[in-house]
C-alpha cells in the first residue's frame, strides 16, 4: 500500500481559508483598464546590470544569462538546488496494451534520499507503441495521477488531494479534458506527469511536509530559500532525470509544459534546465509569462497575498513597486532562448492578463535574434480579433484561444504541431 504522509490539518485549513478570503477581497479592486497601464523601467534583456550592452551569444551566455538567472533566484523564485545523489526509481507497473492497445504505460516511483521520511513522487508515463524513443511532453498535474484519465490502472499519487483545506475525493478522469492522451499518443508523442503535491502540497503550510523540508539537508537549502513554484520546477527536472534513464524515450526531445500555476513552474524549469528542448506556457499569468509591470488582472501584491508560499519572501517587497523589480517576466522567457517557446492565453482569462503574456514573449525577441532565430518582434497582440489564430515563428509562438482559463484539446493540438515542426516529423 502507498503510504500517505500525515498533515497538520487544522493549521492547513486555517491557512487555506485565510488565503481564499484574501483572494476574494483582492479580486474586487482589480484593474482591467488598458488606459491606466504604464510600464515603467522595463529591463533590457541585453543590458547588464553594470550597463554593458550585449552584442553576441558568447557574452549573453557568459555574462547576462547567468546574471538574469541570479536575479530570478534572488528576487522571485529562490535558489534551485541540483539533483540529490542516490535517487532510486522503482517501476511499479507496466502495460504493453494501454489506451486500447495503442500505448505503453509505465508507472515509476521516484524515491528521494531523505533521512527519516518517504519523500517520493509517482510518475505516470504513456508512450506510443508505434514510435520507439518517442519525444515526451512533461508536466505536473493538479489533482493526482488518477485524475488525468479514466484508465483504471493508474495508481494513486503519494499525497492526498487538498483543495480549500479539505481532502478531496477525486474521480478518475476528472481532469481528462486537460490530458487528451489519445491525441498525444496518435501524434507520436509520449506524456509524463506527476501530481504537484507529491513535491509540495499547495497551501501556505505545505512546505512543512513537502520536499523543501524533507530534503533540506540533502539539497543543502533551507525551506525559506525557495518557494512552491521553485519546488515544483525542481520536480519537473526530476522527471527529466528519470526519462534520461528510460530507453524507450528520446530524452533530448522533451517538452516541458504546464497550466496556470504549473505553467509558472514549467517556465522556471525550462529557464533553468536546458535539457528541456521546448517550453510551453499555458495561461501561466502573473509570476509566469505575464509582465509583472502591467497592472492588469492579478498583480504581485494579489498573488503574494493569496499564495504566500509560491515565491520568496523578498518578492513581497515588490508588491507595490513592480517597476523596481530587476527582472520582469520577459527576461524569464529570454532564458529559454534559443530553444522554442510557445505562450498561450485564453480570451476570458483576463485575470492572467493575456496581453501581458504576449508582451513578455515579444520582448524576449532580442535574445532569440542573437541566435538568428526568427522572432515575434514585429507582431502585435492579436486580441479578441485574432482568436484561435496562432501567430509567430518556428521558435516563438503564441495563441489566444476563445473561452476560459483551462488547458484544452485546442491548446494541445497547437503545441503538438509546434513540437512536430521542431522535432522534424
Ligand atoms: C489563480 C491564481 C493564478 C493561477 C491560477 C491557477 O487563483 O491567482 O495565478 O495560478 O490560480 O493556478 O489556476
Amino acid at each position: 500500500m502507498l503510504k500517505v504522509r500525515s498533515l497538520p490539518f487544522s493549521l492547513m485549513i486555517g491557512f487555506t481559508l485565510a488565503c481564499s478570503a484574501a483572494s476574494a477581497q483582492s479580486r474586487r479592486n482589480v484593474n482591467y483598464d488598458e488606459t491606466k497601464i504604464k510600464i515603467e523601467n522595463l529591463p533590457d534583456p541585453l543590458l547588464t546590470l553594470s550597463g554593458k550592452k550585449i552584442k553576441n551569444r558568447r557574452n549573453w551566455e557568459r555574462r547576462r544569462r547567468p546574471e538574469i538567472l541570479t536575479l530570478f533566484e534572488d528576487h522571485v523564485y529562490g535558489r534551485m538546488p541540483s539533483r540529490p545523489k542516490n535517487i532510486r526509481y522503482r517501476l511499479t507497473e507496466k502495460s504493453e496494451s494501454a489506451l486500447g492497445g495503442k500505448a505503453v504505460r509505465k508507472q515509476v516511483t521516484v524515491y528521494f534520499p531523505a533521512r527519516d521520511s518517504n519523500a517520493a513522487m509517482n510518475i505516470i508515463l504513456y508512450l506510443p507503441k508505434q514510435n520507439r524513443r518517442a519525444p515526451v511532453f512533461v508536466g505536473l498535474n493538479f489533482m493526482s495521477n488518477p485524475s488525468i484519465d479514466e484508465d483504471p490502472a493508474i495508481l494513486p499519487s503519494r499525497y492526498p488531494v487538498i483543495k480549500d483545506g479539505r481532502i478531496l475525493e477525486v474521480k478518475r478522469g476528472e481532469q481528462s479534458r486537460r490530458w487528451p492522451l489519445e491525441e498525444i499518443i496518435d501524434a507520436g508523442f509520449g506524456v509524463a506527469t506527476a501530481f504537484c503535491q507529491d513535491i509540495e502540497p499547495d497551501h501556505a503550510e505545505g512546505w512543512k511536509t513537502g520536499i523543501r523540508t524533507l530534503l533540506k539537508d540533502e539539497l543543502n537549502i533551507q525551506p525559506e530559500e525557495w518557494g512552491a513554484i521553485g519546488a515544483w520546477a525542481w520536480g519537473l527536472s526530476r522527471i527529466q532525470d528519470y526519462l534520461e534513464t528510460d530507453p524507450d524515450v528520446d530524452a533530448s526531445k522533451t517538452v516541458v509544459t504546464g497550466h496556470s500555476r504549473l505553467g509558472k513552474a514549467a517556465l522556471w524549469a525550462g529557464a533553468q534546465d536546458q535539457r528541456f528542448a521546448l517550453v510551453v506556457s499555458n495561461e501561466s499569468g502573473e509570476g509566469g509569462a505575464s509582465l509583472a509591470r502591467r497592472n492588469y488582472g492579478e498583480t504581485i501584491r494579489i498573488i503574494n497575498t493569496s499564495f504566500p508560499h509560491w515565491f520568496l519572501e523578498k518578492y513581497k517587497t515588490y508588491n507595490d513597486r513592480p517597476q523596481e523589480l530587476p527582472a520582469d517576466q520577459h527576461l524569464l522567457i529570454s532564458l529559454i532562448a534559443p530553444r522554442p517557446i510557445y505562450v498561450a492565453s485564453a480570451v476570458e482569462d483576463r485575470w492572467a492578463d493575456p496581453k501581458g503574456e504576449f508582451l513578455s514573449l515579444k520582448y524576449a525577441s532580442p535574445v532569440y535574434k542573437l541566435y538568428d532565430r526568427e522572432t515575434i518582434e514585429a507582431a502585435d497582440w492579436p486580441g479578441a480579433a485574432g482568436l484561435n489564430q496562432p501567430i509567430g515563428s518556428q521558435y516563438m509562438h503564441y495563441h489566444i484561444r476563445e473561452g476560459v482559463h483551462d488547458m484544452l484539446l485546442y491548446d494541445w493540438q497547437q503545441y503538438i504541431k509546434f513540437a512536430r515542426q521542431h522535432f522534424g516529423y
Side-chain angles (χ1 to χ4, degrees), residues 101-400:
K102 55 171 76 165
V104 173
R105 181 186 57 237
K106 294 188 190 182
Q107 304 192 67
V108 174
T109 301
V110 182
Y111 293 97
F112 300 120
R115 228 175 293 140
D116 311 323
S117 89
N118 63 344
M121 157 172 82
N122 283 358
I123 300 174
I124 175 139
L125 168 66
Y126 288 94
L127 293 167
K129 240 173 132 170
Q130 301 312 333
N131 193 17
R132 259 196 73 75
R133 293 187 55 76
V136 174
F137 282 93
V138 179
L140 297 172
N141 63 70
F142 278 76
M143 291 189 124
S144 83
N145 291 353
S147 75
I148 70 158
D149 194 81
E150 279 172 18
D151 182 348
I154 303 181
L155 297 167
S157 289
R158 308 281 306 175
Y159 210 79
V161 183
I162 312 288
K163 200 160 180 233
D164 297 332
R166 279 174 228 292
I167 294 186
L168 269 196
E169 275 305 316
V170 175
K171 273 204 242 93
R172 275 191 190 277
E174 194 163 320
Q175 296 243 305
S176 56
R177 70 180 188 287
R178 289 193 178 162
W179 298 93
L181 299 180
E182 297 215 12
E183 284 79 1
I184 298 171
I185 294 291
D186 288 345
F189 286 81
V191 59
T193 181
F195 179 36
C196 64
Q197 300 199 29
D198 278 4
I199 301 292
E200 174 161 334
D202 190 8
H203 57 87
E205 297 280 310
W207 60 272
K208 294 187 176 169
T209 50
I211 57 114
R212 279 200 282 150
T213 293
L214 300 180
L215 296 183
K216 68 181 169 47
D217 296 334
E218 288 73 13
L219 300 178
N220 193 21
I221 184 168
Q222 291 307 307
E224 64 277 12
E225 288 183 84
W226 51 331
I229 302 283
W232 294 330
W234 180 90
L236 287 164
S237 286
R238 305 294 71 83
I239 298 180
Q240 171 75 23
D241 294 343
Y242 163 72
L243 294 175
E244 288 179 354
T245 69
D246 190 322
D248 295 329
V249 170
D250 184 350
S252 71
K253 295 195 176 100
T254 49
V255 183
V256 65
T257 184
H259 170 61
S260 207
R261 69 198 66 186
L262 300 178
K264 307 179 207 300
L267 280 173
W268 182 225
Q272 283 276 340
D273 188 339
Q274 294 180 291
R275 294 175 301 170
F276 291 115
L278 209 148
V279 182
V280 171
S281 152
N282 193 83
E283 300 158 29
S284 58
E286 187 72 23
S290 296
L291 273 188
R293 275 167 174 71
R294 272 171 58 84
N295 170 24
Y296 188 101
E298 192 171 30
T299 60
I300 300 182
R301 170 176 283 286
I302 298 173
I303 206 166
N304 280 334
T305 310
S306 316
F307 306 102
H309 54 294
W310 281 2
F311 303 94
L312 281 183
E313 274 304 301
K314 176 88 181 275
Y315 196 47
K316 299 190 173 103
T317 65
Y318 298 100
N319 277 353
D320 297 314
R321 44 180 202 115
Q323 72 284 357
E324 283 170 43
L325 247 186
D328 210 319
Q329 302 307 106
H330 62 309
L331 298 190
L332 184 67
I333 292 180
S334 73
L335 294 175
I336 293 160
R339 292 164 293 153
I341 165 90
Y342 199 123
V343 171
S345 311
V347 70
E348 288 174 47
D349 186 22
R350 297 191 307 164
W351 184 245
D353 185 10
K355 185 171 180 184
E357 294 179 318
F358 170 79
L359 288 177
S360 287
L361 179 67
K362 175 173 164 125
Y363 296 159
S365 295
V367 182
Y368 279 81
K369 264 182 153 170
L370 278 187
Y371 290 89
D372 299 324
R373 300 293 196 235
E374 217 184 298
T375 72
I376 199 163
E377 198 169 40
D380 290 323
W381 181 55
L387 297 191
N388 300 5
Q389 296 165 47
I391 58 167
S393 72
Q394 208 190 330
Y395 284 87
M396 306 183 89
H397 230 73
Y398 177 81
H399 73 243
I400 177 161

Side-chain angles (χ1 to χ4, degrees), residues 13-49:
I13 291 176
F15 266 95
T16 316
L17 292 180
C19 288
S20 23
S23 158
Q25 193 188 19
S26 54
R27 282 189 190 232
R28 277 201 287 273
N29 302 315
V30 174
N31 177 51
Y32 289 118
D33 181 351
E34 278 291 336
T35 65
K36 293 204 177 122
I37 289 172
K38 210 160 111 208
I39 300 182
E40 286 174 285
N41 201 20
L42 192 70
D44 178 342
L46 297 182
L47 198 64
T48 67
L49 290 176

